[in-house]
Amino acid sequence: MLSIDPSKKNSFQRFISDGDLVIVYERHDNMKAVKVKKGSELQNRFGVFKHSDWIGKPFGSKVLSSKGGFVYILAPTPELWTLVLSHRTQILYIADISFVISYLEIVPGCVVLESGTGSGSLTTSLARAVAPSGHVHTFDFHEQRAGLARDDFERNGLSNLVTVAVRDIQGEGFPDEFQGIIDSVFLDLPQPWLAIPSAARMLKQDGVICSFSPCIEQVQRSCEALRSNFTDVRTFEVLLRTYEIQEGRIQSSDGDESYRRITHTRRKRQCISSEDNGENTDKATSIPTVMARPCQEARGHTGYLTFARLNCQ
Amino acid sequence: MGVQEGGDRQLESESKDNRALIDNNSAQNLSSEDIDAMRRDGATGDEIVEALIANSSTYENKTVFSQEKYKRRKQKKYAPKVLLRRPFTRSICEAYFKKYPNRIGFLRIDTLSLLLSFANISAYSDVLLVDMVGGLLTGAVAERLGGTGYVCNTYFGGTSHSLDIARIFNFSSEFDSRIVQASYSHLCSAESLDEEGSKMHEIDHPAGIQSIIGRESSTKCVPSTGSTQIQEAQSLRNDNSSLDEELGNTKENLSSGQEGLHENNATITYKAVNPGKQASPDAIKMWKEKGFNSLIVAAPELEVDSIVQKLIPLLSYSAPFAIYHQFLQPLATCMHKLQSSKMAIGLQISEPWLREYQVLPSRTHPQMQMSGFGGYILSGTRICNNSENCNGNQ
């Protein structure tokens, strides 16, 4: 997923090979991760796709099925991965992920601790942020989930950047070997205040911690715990509102100029053609227009993000 | 004295309220002259705050919360603490957003973070940027590259954009060397003309193109002469007159492809512009062959549609892009055109929302002040729509 080898620089331009993990894009809300295997096939409502047809094509290609349907084959990125990964737990999405990485000041070379690993959504982005010389140590107390996450990172080529360990951070704290060498800590735990003292010992001077909690009561207890060793405690909420667009034509009605109606060209998002203009529209008196409005479905809450910086000693 | 001390105090504070407190400016017995005298005598800020509390007739009658708030306010005024921090994207962006948001095009930190994620900025990436937010974006991208890959800042016309804010990051020379510039005309050449690009051009400007230099279609770039001097790209007149209102920014002498008001007829040659060195011919050649890994455009005052049409063909296939704009409508138009041309998939317009909270015992609530606006982002991924031939970048 990431090019960590300088000789493979600009590797996104490389071609699809047997054994690659790719993202098959059917529609904007319908994507899946597929491991390319010669001889295998992908079946969906657009037809049957042979993997061997993909091999040798560049990522980003349009590929055809037996009956002429098509999909796109994309190179995996942490963003696409977040949208296709299998949810073993509730995951973090791009709005929270991107804000966390900025606010934790994670740059290449950083060493980062994370608990819990969950489904590895954030972990994948953390790996990208620390590459090529940093490392992410992630901990989960659930052995099976830790194993599944480890498999995912392996499949995505991230094993050199991410180490998964099974450990109950709330009960035992972080391992002593990390004391004083950690740049950033991220906690997504039910009782993060139990892990905060240990996190404080792990962090370098000026290190930053972030705790993600869905409930405000958790946030309150975390902030109290943070005030002993940390400064600059700040809590945020981040959300994304998405917009949809629609093509239409503004037309006068029956020659009467007193009001103008907007007719919507009735079509789905993906297949807009700029020529279509509806049957009864008089081209001479109608103006093509593109209108935007927020999507009806919106996420109202994911969790609160609390950041703090280790106090100077 | 920030934290609630125990159950008793909590009960005490719950029974107090402010019904008897009258605001007639007579509560404080120390005058401003008294305070100045204390200052001259060398009293510390904390001592002044203590004195103010001791001389306040209403202090004891306040609730605990109110007392804390009072003390914090006085401390802020008389005993401010200043912390020196390393410059990082987060602090630089927040500082500018607070004080000079228009210099960074109202790019808020959560929006900036999203741009970096949507565009998959990572080590070893070759990133194409249009940075008209003072260099903040350039700095943020360079920070994520960690001294690897390249940030190529491009511009239309002869003058590059100011990248002063990138200097605040205090990058090492290794990081600095990854930040380069190349004008759009330099980045493409007549040989590798994209057929898609010229077809697109016809759809955009059906009413006839006014090319100032030469008779060729205006999406073609002037062939690079190979010298270090940059030739000005042709400006073209766009029919859409609403653009004229949006383009207020004539100060920087930008002659982008859309600025029909600014018709420089002459072919002006410039010396290499600072800051940031010009991209080497080798690098430009490599980018022409392989394409860039990602594109971010932050041109909050320009009409993005044409810029995006020109720059997306410079990306490799499957490369993600993120376009930032202050206004929604230009992005809607841009998205629509991209959908029609089938140059990109996964298109999404997002509006980031950010709210900060005050978290204190019994006093937890969102902060009273909130940023109402941090811009919009159009994101997507470039694809090859031709199922027959996707080889080569164009």
Side-chain angles (χ1 to χ4, degrees):
Chain A
M1 192 187 287
L2 305 169
S3 44
I4 41 180
D5 177 354
S7 68
K8 288 206 232 121
K9 192 171 102 71
N10 215 329
S11 64
F12 297 144
Q13 185 45 33
R14 78 176 198 278
F15 301 90
I16 302 169
S17 322
D18 194 14
D20 276 346
L21 186 84
V22 304
I23 306 286
V24 175
Y25 179 103
E26 297 180 17
R27 276 171 28 140
H28 71 275
D29 54 2
N30 199 339
M31 291 186 278
K32 52 155 70 88
V34 171
K35 196 162 177 117
V36 176
K37 190 160 175 232
K38 223 173 190 153
S40 285
E41 288 176 343
L42 169 76
Q43 283 196 26
N44 63 21
R45 62 209 184 99
F46 296 123
V48 176
F49 296 85
K50 296 209 178 87
H51 288 205
S52 7
D53 288 344
W54 305 345
I55 295 175
K57 289 211 165 98
F59 281 100
S61 292
K62 178 180 187 176
V63 296
L64 300 178
S65 75
S66 48
K67 62 178 192 185
F70 65 86
V71 293
Y72 296 95
I73 308 294
L74 299 179
T77 65
E79 280 64 49
L80 290 174
W81 181 250
T82 289
L83 297 172
V84 300
L85 64 82
S86 89
H87 291 213
R88 281 92 61 177
T89 61
Q90 174 63 277
I91 66 169
L92 285 192
Y93 291 93
I94 190 174
D96 292 304
I97 292 175
S98 59
F99 192 67
V100 165
I101 295 188
S102 275
Y103 237 72
L104 282 181
E105 297 173 351
I106 300 179
V107 291
C110 280
V111 185
V112 180
L113 298 181
E114 177 196 24
S115 185
T117 316
S119 310
S121 172
L122 171 67
T123 327
T124 309
S125 288
L126 290 174
R128 171 179 61 191
V130 305
S133 44
H135 206 86
V136 181
H137 295 274
T138 181
F139 303 88
D140 202 285
F141 72 158
H142 194 280
E143 189 160 350
Q144 186 200 27
R145 283 204 289 262
L148 289 170
R150 203 179 284 120
D151 291 342
D152 278 344
F153 302 139
E154 176 90 43
R155 226 173 286 127
N156 277 324
L158 300 175
S159 309
N160 287 341
L161 293 166
V162 182
T163 303
V164 186
V166 180
R167 191 180 172 102
D168 174 13
I169 299 297
Q170 280 177 189
E172 303 170 48
F174 290 102
D176 287 334
E177 68 190 270
F178 297 120
Q179 277 198 39
I181 61 165
I182 299 300
D183 294 288
S184 321
V185 175
F186 179 82
L187 300 174
D188 181 359
L189 297 168
Q191 297 168 301
W193 51 92
L194 297 177
I196 283 172
S198 168
R201 285 196 296 278
M202 303 297 129
L203 282 168
K204 276 184 192 164
Q205 189 178 53
D206 237 22
V208 195
I209 188 174
C210 174
S211 174
F212 174 85
S213 295
C215 303
I216 198 69
E217 296 87 354
Q218 295 167 305
V219 175
Q220 288 177 303
R221 282 190 79 168
S222 302
C223 287
E224 249 182 75
L226 284 169
R227 292 205 178 95
S228 338
N229 298 47
F230 292 84
T231 181
D232 220 14
V233 181
R234 295 177 77 174
T235 302
F236 297 91
E237 249 193 320
V238 216
L239 287 172
L240 262 194
R241 187 194 219 194
T242 50
Y243 284 76
E244 58 189 27
I245 61 167
Q246 209 161 69
E247 191 191 4
R249 298 193 86 91
I250 303 177
Q251 57 182 110
S252 59
S253 174
D254 304 333
D256 179 350
E257 296 292 336
S258 60
Y259 66 93
R260 300 166 117 213
R261 192 162 13 122
I262 303 173
T263 51
H264 303 274
T265 46
R266 236 181 338 118
R267 48 181 58 263
K268 299 219 160 67
R269 267 186 69 176
Q270 290 303 314
C271 16
I272 290 184
S273 109
S274 54
E275 293 308 314
D276 186 276
N277 55 10
E279 294 86 330
N280 301 319
T281 310
D282 182 351
K283 249 182 165 161
T285 58
S286 68
I287 306 161
T289 182
V290 176
M291 306 170 294
R293 71 167 180 208
C295 292
Q296 276 196 303
E297 279 171 34
R299 204 165 267 139
H301 178 67
T302 52
Y304 301 99
L305 288 165
T306 303
F307 297 90
R309 197 181 288 275
L310 192 67
N311 253 335
C312 297
Q313 306 307 334
Chain B
M1 185 201 154
V3 184
Q4 200 70 345
E5 252 146 277
D8 288 347
R9 295 203 72 180
Q10 177 129 27
L11 280 172
E12 212 182 284
S13 70
E14 275 162 18
S15 59
K16 279 190 190 168
D17 56 37
N18 62 4
R19 69 185 93 192
L21 295 176
I22 298 175
D23 185 8
N24 56 10
N25 224 14
S26 64
Q28 180 55 251
N29 293 323
L30 285 180
S31 68
S32 53
E33 287 90 19
D34 293 330
I35 297 174
D36 283 339
M38 282 182 79
R39 262 205 261 241
R40 280 196 297 274
D41 288 342
T44 64
D46 284 331
E47 285 167 357
I48 295 181
V49 173
E50 292 300 334
L52 283 167
I53 291 174
N55 280 285
S56 163
S57 56
T58 51
Y59 188 80
E60 284 308 307
N61 296 332
K62 294 191 190 204
T63 65
V64 173
F65 307 144
S66 198
Q67 288 176 346
E68 280 176 23
K69 199 169 177 181
Y70 179 90
K71 192 168 182 192
R72 256 203 305 273
R73 240 178 47 232
K74 296 301 176 191
Q75 274 174 336
K76 210 169 172 183
K77 188 168 177 185
Y78 294 104
K81 291 197 182 83
V82 177
L83 276 156
L84 297 171
R85 294 259 155 79
R86 281 169 305 178
F88 261 107
T89 299
R90 153 194 165 176
S91 21
I92 297 173
C93 182
E94 278 194 318
Y96 268 90
F97 193 75
K98 218 169 172 176
K99 279 209 102 178
Y100 308 111
N102 49 338
R103 283 201 214 165
I104 55 168
F106 296 91
L107 183 60
R108 206 170 55 200
I109 178 64
D110 58 327
T111 316
L112 177 55
S113 316
L114 275 164
L115 287 176
L116 298 171
S117 279
F118 274 131
N120 191 30
I121 305 298
S122 61
Y124 299 116
S125 295
D126 287 6
V127 184
L128 182 59
L129 281 196
V130 175
D131 181 343
M132 290 180 64
V133 289
L136 173 62
L137 180 62
T138 304
V141 174
E143 196 181 77
R144 291 279 173 102
L145 291 181
T148 65
Y150 278 105
V151 180
C152 179
N153 254 299
T154 189
Y155 46 95
F156 299 87
T159 324
S160 67
H161 316 307
S162 155
L163 296 179
D164 283 338
I165 300 183
R167 282 201 258 253
I168 301 181
F169 284 77
N170 253 345
F171 286 135
S172 66
S173 55
E174 196 196 341
F175 277 53
D176 256 341
S177 65
R178 316 310 293 189
I179 303 176
V180 298
Q181 303 188 75
S183 71
Y184 174 68
S185 49
H186 236 179
L187 283 177
C188 51
S189 76
E191 283 97 55
S192 53
L193 179 64
D194 185 6
E195 268 189 62
E196 274 182 38
S198 57
K199 194 156 55 131
M200 206 25 48
H201 173 73
E202 281 159 39
I203 294 173
D204 280 351
H205 312 289
I209 318 108
Q210 287 218 358
S211 16
I212 310 301
I213 303 170
R215 286 296 112 205
E216 311 124 296
S217 149
S218 300
T219 49
K220 290 186 197 168
C221 308
V222 175
S224 104
T225 60
S227 69
T228 53
Q229 293 179 321
I230 308 147
Q231 292 191 311
E232 191 185 37
Q234 309 138 27
S235 46
L236 47 81
R237 173 105 54 98
N238 191 309
D239 273 323
N240 193 345
S241 59
S242 67
L243 282 180
D244 295 4
E245 285 134 44
E246 276 185 273
L247 300 173
N249 195 3
T250 51
K251 259 202 320 188
E252 293 191 350
N253 197 33
L254 264 176
S255 41
S256 73
Q258 297 72 38
E259 202 168 299
L261 313 163
H262 200 73
E263 286 166 50
N264 270 327
N265 291 338
T267 301
I268 300 168
T269 50
Y270 297 90
K271 282 217 282 251
V273 282
N274 287 314
K277 60 183 212 288
Q278 284 295 312
S280 69
D282 283 340
I284 295 185
K285 182 153 171 278
M286 177 188 66
W287 292 328
K288 275 189 214 160
E289 273 170 32
K290 295 199 165 172
F292 287 92
N293 296 130
S294 36
L295 165 69
I296 306 184
V297 174
E301 286 175 38
L302 291 190
E303 202 269 309
V304 279
D305 185 20
S306 330
I307 297 180
V308 168
Q309 298 286 340
K310 289 191 170 121
L311 294 180
I312 288 193
L314 299 178
L315 291 174
S316 348
Y317 296 126
S318 198
F321 57 86
I323 319 294
Y324 167 77
H325 209 274
Q326 280 187 64
F327 297 98
L328 179 59
Q329 199 53 36
L331 288 183
T333 311
C334 190
M335 177 167 169
H336 175 59
K337 291 245 173 77
L338 286 173
Q339 278 177 336
S340 313
S341 67
K342 300 195 171 65
M343 271 208 278
I345 55 171
L347 294 165
Q348 174 173 295
I349 296 181
S350 314
E351 180 191 354
W353 186 90
L354 176 70
R355 188 153 83 172
E356 192 166 355
Y357 277 68
Q358 165 184 294
V359 180
L360 291 170
S362 306
R363 287 159 285 171
T364 299
H365 57 73
Q367 286 192 352
M368 302 302 189
Q369 302 265 18
M370 175 176 146
S371 158
F373 159 68
Y376 302 91
I377 300 176
L378 168 63
S379 57
T381 306
R382 188 196 180 196
I383 44 105
C384 172
N385 201 43
N386 178 355
S387 53
E388 294 307 304
N389 177 25
C390 294
N391 286 318
N393 196 28
Q394 316 281 350

